[in-house]
Amino acid sequence: MEAIKIENVHKTFRSLKKKQKAVDGVEFCVDTGEIFGFLGPNGAGKSTTIKIMMDLIKADEGKVLINGIDSTDYRSRKNLGFLPENPSFVENLTGMETLMFQTSMHNIQKREAADRAHKLMNLFELSDSADKQIRKYSKGMVQRLGIIAAIIHKPDIIILDEPMSGLDPVGRYLFKKTIRQLNKEGATIFFSSHIINDIEDLCSNVAILNKGKIVKTISKNEMKYLSSAGYKIIFEGNAQSAAKAGKLSNVNGVENLGETLYAIMIKEAELLIPVLEKLKELDLKVISIKPIRKDLESIFIKLMRSAK
Amino acid sequence: MKKTYIVLFLFIVAYIALIPHFKNNMERSPLKLGYTPHGKLYRASLGEFRWITGDYLAFKGITYFGNKKQAVMNRQFKNIEYFNLFQTIEESIMLNPYNEDAYYFAQAAFTNIGHAKDLDFLLRYAFKYRPWDFQLPFFLGFNNAYFLKNYTKAAHYFKLAARLTGSSLYTTLAARYFYEGGETKLGILFLRYMIKNSRNKSVKSVYRKRLDALIKIAILENAAKKYKIKYGIYPKDLKQLINKNILTKIPIDPYGGRFYIDKGKIKTTSKLADYHKGR
Amino acid sequence: MLKIAFFTVRAMIKDRMFYLILSMLLLFILVPVFSSFSMRQIQEVSITMSLSLNSFILLFLAMFGGVVTVWRDIERKYDYTILSNPINRTNYFLGRFLGFAMILIAITIINMLLSVAVINISAGMYQSKLPIIWSNIAWAAVMTLLKYLLLMGIGFLFTSFATSFFIPFFGTIIIYIVGNASQGVYDYLSSAGTSGYPAVFKYLIKFLYYIIPNFSSFDLTTYAVYALKINYSSILYSLAYFVLYLGIVLSLSMVIFNKKDLV
Ligand SMILES: Nc1ncnc2c1ncn2[C@@H]1O[C@H](COP(=O)(O)OP(=O)(O)OP(=O)(O)O)[C@@H](O)[C@H]1O
Ligand SMILES: [Mg+2]
């Protein structure tokens, strides 16, 4: 089932002086239960798309369905959690009050809400600041609070706009762990980023956006295929055997790493075992086997180039 | 979304239905002026806004008076908040004594209702700030002569006015009429001046009516004098003036009263005299 | 909607601006002091001052509380986190309005309690010829409340389409001034003494008179101060006017706000 469906969405920002086409016919689906990444460089239109999904901005054309409900209907947000980019909360209130308000909007009992708020604040290491006014929060603390506010009501769908910006390594770790956990419990997660690592770690599906257009949507299988690029094998032995190893099928030459240390690369994962057997036959001592994964960066750059 | 449009539409329709009634109600509402606060501290706290506040109060008072014009002309003084009006204009002058409208209006609206003394104070106050303005001593002179019967002071102010204008026209006229013609003619002179120099139509029309009355009184006074010169005594009844062919007919009091003569003085049943001298 | 309203109240009572405005309540102490400067109008002056102070505080609350806060919601994107909840914009907007309306009502009540105290103190200093009619004073306060609710509604309307702070803030102030003067100017122009003005100008003013809120109809100060007889049909007209005008203002805001891009 499709948790989020975006159909041919267009948005142009108009000001007196100029027009800026921010979203240009974006179309993709997010299936229930997956973690979906939304990747694109600065100014690609990610945030604009997300704001349209949240009905904060009105699309010129096209529509967004969330759990089958049009996003312009407030009921589409009943089981939804949202973290805007650079979230901000009414500054006079404390973090705790903010969370209590947020939960009350989802009709969660006060006691239950307080309980969850405490737990999550603990988890995200905000307990000390729970009763501080938000104006006294640091950027990262506000970001953490935003994450908590987006998940505290246990939504089915969580939409996050650059959730990890402003977070320190601990924050990132906590975030990723929580997201995985929520996903395991059945939540659909959609988040945007321009940092490939973040997406690579978490996502099963990725849509890549550039200049308001989807360049490519990479499925789970495609991603596996694209990212598993072979292995790098480092071994020790004499030069003759090493040269022979370099001539094995599916191996493009050998590299001398110094003294008696050599390395070869194999392109396909399935070929690992036969190659290892061959090395054994050649009496070469395998020191390490590293999987090579084409990172999204190169995919991204390549896709960008082809899109131009 | 559509619902909001419908709600908006319904509200607009209802509003359009209400507004004529509302408007009529507002026009009928008897009280529009209200109390104007007084006090030195209040003035000080206004800072540089005292000037504009003064101007605003003058405008407010004049507008109010304009609306009550009918009541003034028909002499229904009970319908007019004279107390508040005077306070408003007084405060206006105290706040911005430079505003010509304010004291001009004060002179126009209050000379006849027993505020002569207060008015004298206000005019003197404004004169301190507008020492170049001949109109102020002219008003002061008129009021002193006509209402306060303080002829020495009146003469002093007329002299000042003459010095300021450079032309002695008003003063000599005033003096001459005052000594020779008595107060009716002084009144006529003053009203002519006010009518000529007023841009405000309400003030003008109020004055025209009064001028009309005074001119008629003057005609009767003249006739009565002629009668006296001929017959040695004043007539007992104005009809005698017609009988002796001095007048062809008795003029009609524009205020709806009837002129009569009492010991040589022309009076009217509409009590114009009271109206002159204050309540 | 109620949840937003209570949220608004809670956020407001923690606002510094609110305390600044509340501190104006201290000025009530000055009422008897100033009134005593007056010679024979002590009671009258104390009532005038109490009602004026009430108006003044409500004006500040409506402007700096209501109008500035909704504007800040949009400016600082607080509405992103609020509107991500299952709530439509109408509810959010009207909830905000309702919240501030509750604050205005509460402050009016406090002001009136203080007024009763200071008027009693002042009236005790010098026996006025006029009676104090408390119901008149209460009516005057109610009408003042309505006036500032209306003003706040207009501020909300400006916010619904504004792209910069100046429009809601100065727009509301201008409407406040013009709305106070509109009846006066209209009366002046309909009086006989103004035939000299061009007809087009008069029509323009009359047209504006129907569009601009008429705040003079909410001014019952003199009735309260001079214990005059209140014409209740007149009050009824003002109430109807209030309901319809506010209805138009708020529903128009909704029409606009529902279409707005919250950027
Ligand atoms: N309110 C606005 N008015 C005019 N143009 C806008 C507005 N918001 C965004 N844009 C333009 O729309 C385009 C997309 O912006 P958007 O914020 O969606 O990018 P993004 O992908 O989220 O970038 P980032 O990674 O920097 O957050 C940009 O070119 C931006 O200049
Ligand atoms: Mg962005």
Side-chain angles (χ1 to χ4, degrees):
Chain A
M1 213 208 123
E2 290 146 346
I4 303 171
K5 187 166 184 186
I6 297 191
E7 291 174 3
N8 191 30
V9 168
H10 290 262
K11 177 73 193 180
T12 304
F13 287 110
R14 291 178 178 82
S15 67
L16 286 180
K17 279 171 228 147
K18 57 171 188 173
K19 284 185 188 176
Q20 165 85 41
K21 184 119 199 174
V23 178
D24 190 1
V26 165
E27 209 164 280
F28 61 83
C29 291
V30 179
D31 285 334
T32 305
E34 70 173 331
I35 303 183
F36 194 98
F38 198 34
L39 189 64
N42 292 139
K46 302 183 295 293
S47 299
T48 307
T49 309
I50 290 176
K51 285 173 198 169
I52 290 170
M53 292 162 73
M54 296 304 298
D55 196 35
L56 296 168
I57 287 182
K58 305 286 175 179
D60 298 335
E61 212 180 295
K63 64 174 175 181
V64 176
L65 297 176
I66 290 174
N67 271 336
I69 305 172
D70 197 299
S71 71
T72 52
D73 184 338
Y74 75 95
R75 279 165 293 196
S76 69
R77 295 187 284 279
K78 259 192 176 142
N79 282 307
L80 186 105
F82 171 57
L83 170 74
E85 69 178 333
N86 307 320
S88 56
F89 297 93
V90 176
E91 287 188 334
N92 308 320
L93 297 179
T94 67
M96 195 65 193
E97 285 167 331
T98 303
L99 292 177
M100 293 306 285
F101 166 67
Q102 213 70 15
T103 47
S104 80
M105 294 301 290
H106 289 274
N107 300 317
I108 296 170
Q109 292 293 311
K110 256 194 179 163
R111 178 134 17 110
E112 165 74 10
D115 205 43
R116 285 192 210 174
H118 281 301
K119 270 188 194 139
L120 283 167
M121 285 225 170
N122 248 333
L123 178 64
F124 280 92
E125 299 173 347
L126 278 181
S127 301
D128 293 344
S129 314
D131 296 320
K132 255 197 219 166
Q133 282 191 334
I134 292 178
R135 72 169 83 249
K136 292 170 190 157
Y137 277 31
S138 74
K139 177 172 158 53
M141 284 157 77
V142 175
Q143 187 78 14
R144 286 172 189 221
L145 182 69
I147 293 168
I148 297 174
I151 63 177
I152 190 166
H153 52 286
K154 301 195 171 152
D156 298 339
I157 301 176
I158 303 169
I159 296 174
L160 309 146
D161 196 353
E162 304 205 9
M164 279 176 276
S165 88
L167 291 185
D168 58 12
V170 178
R172 279 157 191 270
Y173 165 76
L174 288 169
F175 171 74
K176 287 181 186 177
K177 195 175 107 180
T178 313
I179 287 300
R180 283 205 189 91
Q181 176 64 30
L182 288 169
N183 183 243
K184 218 183 265 170
E185 289 164 12
T188 309
I189 288 147
F190 174 93
F191 75 93
S192 78
S193 179
H194 49 81
I195 296 166
I196 291 141
N197 272 335
D198 295 343
I199 293 215
E200 206 181 22
D201 277 2
L202 288 165
C203 297
S204 42
N205 265 329
V206 181
I208 297 172
L209 188 73
N210 190 37
K211 294 188 179 148
K213 286 193 167 109
I214 296 281
V215 182
K216 197 165 171 95
T217 313
I218 304 170
S219 71
K220 201 176 247 176
N221 291 335
E222 267 179 298
M223 185 140 95
K224 237 181 223 163
Y225 170 76
L226 282 168
S227 63
S228 58
Y231 294 90
K232 183 176 191 178
I233 304 171
I234 297 171
F235 56 87
E236 200 178 13
N238 60 48
Q240 277 171 349
S241 309
K244 269 184 199 160
K247 280 175 189 135
L248 289 171
S249 57
N250 290 311
V251 177
N252 296 337
V254 68
E255 187 189 354
N256 190 339
L257 300 174
E259 306 212 6
T260 57
L261 232 47
Y262 297 91
I264 56 170
M265 312 255 261
I266 44 177
K267 274 182 202 149
E268 274 164 57
E270 304 87 70
L271 299 169
L272 179 62
I273 308 296
V275 171
L276 284 178
E277 276 165 6
K278 294 264 169 60
L279 292 180
K280 211 172 186 182
E281 281 167 26
L282 289 166
D283 204 17
L284 295 166
K285 192 179 157 198
V286 174
I287 291 170
S288 78
I289 305 167
K290 271 194 203 155
I292 303 169
R293 294 169 69 204
K294 240 189 241 169
D295 54 4
L296 276 169
E297 204 126 53
S298 47
I299 300 169
F300 185 67
I301 289 164
K302 215 169 103 190
L303 287 170
M304 291 293 161
R305 285 214 186 102
S306 69
K308 260 177 202 168
Chain B
M1 198 63 195
K2 261 188 203 133
K3 257 188 272 168
T4 351
Y5 280 104
I6 295 168
V7 170
L8 173 62
F9 177 74
L10 291 179
F11 271 125
I12 290 177
V13 170
Y15 180 76
I16 291 171
L18 171 76
I19 200 75
H21 304 284
F22 175 76
K23 193 192 82 185
N24 287 339
N25 181 59
M26 286 304 287
E27 279 168 358
R28 246 189 295 125
S29 109
L31 217 122
K32 278 172 191 158
L33 197 61
Y35 177 69
T36 306
H38 271 57
K40 282 208 175 90
L41 220 102
Y42 161 72
R43 269 162 226 155
S45 69
L46 283 173
E48 79 265 41
F49 295 107
R50 64 178 292 172
W51 313 115
I52 181 96
T53 313
D55 291 352
Y56 168 72
L57 289 178
F59 172 77
K60 191 174 156 190
I62 293 168
T63 304
Y64 174 82
F65 187 77
N67 284 313
K68 294 291 178 186
K69 194 185 79 179
Q70 221 46 53
V72 177
M73 304 256 273
N74 298 334
R75 307 165 38 119
Q76 300 156 339
F77 298 119
K78 272 191 195 131
N79 293 347
I80 307 167
E81 293 170 68
Y82 264 115
F83 176 72
N84 285 337
L85 183 59
F86 185 76
Q87 288 234 319
T88 304
I89 291 300
E90 183 182 32
E91 190 57 23
S92 161
I93 294 173
M94 298 307 276
L95 284 172
N96 188 357
Y98 294 98
N99 187 340
E100 184 176 342
D101 279 352
Y103 81 79
Y104 186 89
F105 175 72
Q107 173 71 23
F110 296 109
T111 42
N112 46 17
I113 50 158
H115 276 291
K117 269 207 177 107
D118 298 325
L119 188 64
D120 188 61
F121 169 76
L122 285 180
L123 291 173
R124 274 188 284 130
Y125 180 75
F127 193 35
K128 263 194 281 182
Y129 292 87
R130 297 173 61 95
W132 67 86
D133 186 352
F134 83 92
Q135 200 172 240
L136 280 162
F138 175 60
F139 287 174
L140 279 163
F142 173 78
N143 293 346
N144 270 295
Y146 199 87
F147 297 111
L148 301 172
K149 311 286 178 209
N150 187 336
Y151 302 117
T152 34
K153 260 204 178 155
H156 166 71
Y157 283 121
F158 279 137
K159 227 180 269 163
L160 273 178
R163 207 181 296 151
L164 285 169
T165 41
S167 123
S168 55
L169 181 68
Y170 292 115
T171 26
T172 46
L173 277 179
R176 209 180 75 215
Y177 276 115
F178 178 63
Y179 290 118
E180 292 174 7
E183 61 185 28
T184 305
K185 286 193 177 159
L186 179 61
I188 290 173
L189 168 91
F190 174 74
L191 289 174
R192 286 220 162 104
Y193 173 84
M194 291 298 271
I195 290 166
K196 202 178 124 210
N197 288 285
S198 177
R199 277 187 67 240
N200 187 303
K201 297 226 162 102
S202 307
V203 168
K204 256 188 195 178
S205 53
V206 167
Y207 272 153
R208 282 221 179 89
K209 195 164 181 180
R210 207 185 307 162
L211 177 64
D212 186 28
L214 279 193
I215 288 173
K216 283 169 179 164
I217 290 175
I219 290 170
L220 289 171
E221 277 176 356
N222 261 341
K225 253 183 210 153
K226 272 189 196 153
Y227 186 97
K228 196 188 171 199
I229 290 165
K230 263 192 179 168
Y231 303 102
I233 48 157
Y234 281 112
K236 286 251 159 44
D237 191 323
L238 289 179
K239 278 191 188 122
Q240 289 174 303
L241 293 172
I242 297 175
N243 293 343
K244 303 283 188 241
N245 280 333
I246 293 173
L247 280 178
T248 48
K249 66 173 197 221
I250 306 296
I252 296 162
D253 178 4
Y255 290 106
R258 193 177 47 78
F259 290 119
Y260 62 94
I261 189 158
D262 180 22
K263 290 173 196 139
K265 287 238 165 207
I266 304 295
K267 292 186 174 172
T268 156
T269 52
S270 68
K271 291 187 180 149
L272 189 66
D274 293 352
Y275 175 48
H276 277 198
K277 306 279 154 60
R279 286 187 285 200
Chain C
M1 189 159 30
L2 274 179
K3 282 177 192 163
I4 298 282
F6 288 125
F7 172 71
T8 304
V9 173
R10 185 161 326 129
M12 189 63 190
I13 56 181
K14 295 211 165 180
D15 199 307
R16 279 179 229 164
M17 181 59 79
F18 184 63
Y19 287 104
L20 212 68
I21 295 170
L22 273 197
S23 63
M24 288 201 276
L25 289 179
L26 293 176
L27 293 176
F28 271 104
I29 299 171
L30 295 179
V31 170
V33 179
F34 277 108
S35 320
S36 68
F37 293 163
S38 165
M39 285 184 300
R40 273 164 303 179
Q41 295 255 316
I42 297 183
Q43 171 186 313
E44 287 84 344
V45 170
S46 75
I47 299 174
T48 310
M49 278 184 70
S50 298
L51 288 174
S52 306
L53 189 54
N54 174 50
S55 297
F56 197 60
I57 293 174
L58 291 191
L59 171 65
F60 268 71
L61 270 176
M63 289 301 299
F64 292 102
V67 178
V68 171
T69 303
V70 254
W71 170 252
R72 204 166 46 189
D73 269 9
I74 296 172
E75 165 89 293
R76 301 222 184 135
K77 308 213 162 122
Y78 294 156
D79 50 359
Y80 278 22
T81 41
I82 298 172
L83 286 173
S84 68
N85 293 301
I87 173 181
N88 61 26
R89 290 193 187 181
T90 306
N91 269 331
Y92 158 74
F93 207 74
L94 295 184
R96 277 299 207 192
F97 187 82
L98 192 65
F100 284 111
M102 294 195 297
I103 293 171
L104 254 60
I105 291 169
I107 297 297
T108 300
I109 292 171
I110 295 175
N111 282 344
M112 280 309 105
L113 294 179
L114 290 172
S115 300
V116 169
V118 295
I119 291 170
N120 270 326
I121 293 172
S122 310
M125 295 186 213
Y126 180 87
Q127 182 64 41
S128 169
K129 277 188 228 105
L130 297 171
I132 303 177
I133 303 182
W134 292 108
S135 68
N136 277 14
I137 297 176
W139 270 115
V142 168
M143 294 312 249
T144 307
L145 173 68
L146 299 188
K147 170 176 168 175
Y148 288 103
L149 287 177
L150 201 53
L151 184 72
M152 191 165 74
I154 289 162
F156 273 52
L157 172 60
F158 279 123
T159 324
S160 72
F161 62 78
T163 47
S164 89
F165 175 70
F166 293 99
I167 297 172
F169 193 73
F170 291 103
T172 314
I173 289 179
I174 286 169
I175 290 290
Y176 176 72
I177 295 168
V178 176
N180 279 332
S182 80
Q183 184 70 38
V185 173
Y186 176 82
D187 286 346
Y188 178 69
L189 283 180
S190 15
S191 65
T194 54
S195 46
Y197 292 103
V200 186
F201 176 70
K202 278 189 163 181
Y203 279 118
L204 182 74
I205 294 288
K206 283 193 181 163
F207 177 69
L208 287 177
Y209 171 75
Y210 293 124
I211 290 190
I212 290 168
N214 188 327
F215 288 141
S216 347
S217 64
F218 298 103
D219 183 5
L220 293 185
T221 312
T222 41
Y223 292 85
V225 176
Y226 297 105
L228 302 168
K229 196 168 171 310
I230 288 182
N231 179 354
Y232 285 94
S233 77
S234 206
I235 287 203
L236 221 58
Y237 276 117
S238 296
L239 286 177
Y241 180 82
F242 166 77
V243 170
L244 296 182
Y245 202 99
L246 187 67
I248 291 176
V249 165
L250 289 182
S251 46
L252 184 60
S253 315
M254 291 329 309
V255 167
I256 298 169
F257 189 67
N258 275 323
K259 283 186 181 167
K260 187 181 168 88
D261 278 346
L262 298 170
V263 285

